[in-house]
Amino acid sequence: MAKVTGLGGIFFKSRDPAALTAWYAKHLGLDAEAWGGARFVEDEQRPGYTLWSPFAADTEYFGPGPQACMINFRVDDLDTLLAQMRAAGVAVDERVEQSEFGSFGWITDPEGTRVELWQPPR
């Protein structure tokens, strides 16, 4: 049987794609290619994995409001990244979670989308 082998991309609507792309490049280091998006190449040196997981319709995990999905980005140094984002005036959730799966933090982008940042365990 044919099957899915991983996440192929995250696609979402934006009020101002160019401005939002620039914001993600500045604060999260996502360098957009000429076609307008960022490409992540997997290798054996980078820990982590990609998940697919439906949540209950009434979940509060995505933050307040009508947000229907949440992007999770793997990061290499969560504490430093969150500090940089606070210094730049980005809305950063004060809560950071530590678990056997790694460290998790959350930010809100300029369009009000809650984004999860994940540093896998070493």
Side-chain angles (χ1 to χ4, degrees):
M1 177 176 106
K3 63 182 169 96
V4 172
T5 60
L7 183 63
I10 299 168
F11 310 102
F12 55 94
K13 295 178 181 179
S14 169
R15 291 186 302 270
D16 187 344
L20 195 60
T21 297
W23 187 90
Y24 275 84
K26 177 180 178 182
H27 295 291
L28 292 176
L30 296 182
D31 293 325
E33 296 183 23
W35 51 270
R39 180 185 321 254
F40 301 97
V41 179
E42 300 292 328
D43 64 41
E44 295 178 14
Q45 302 300 314
R46 199 172 82 184
Y49 41 83
T50 302
L51 297 177
W52 176 88
S53 181
F55 281 72
D58 61 351
T59 186
E60 295 181 10
Y61 194 69
F62 298 172
Q67 183 170 327
C69 64
M70 183 171 60
I71 300 169
N72 170 297
F73 289 113
R74 278 181 259 178
V75 301
D76 59 358
D77 185 343
L78 180 64
D79 292 334
T80 299
L81 183 57
L82 293 176
Q84 290 170 345
M85 297 186 89
R86 283 186 188 99
V90 173
V92 177
D93 190 321
E94 293 302 316
R95 181 174 55 112
V96 173
E97 287 187 8
Q98 307 285 337
S99 76
E100 68 270 20
F101 303 110
S103 303
F104 297 86
W106 296 268
I107 62 168
T108 302
D109 77 14
E111 294 194 2
T113 304
R114 184 173 170 87
V115 176
E116 186 170 64
L117 304 174
W118 168 49
Q119 181 177 337
R122 301 234 182 260

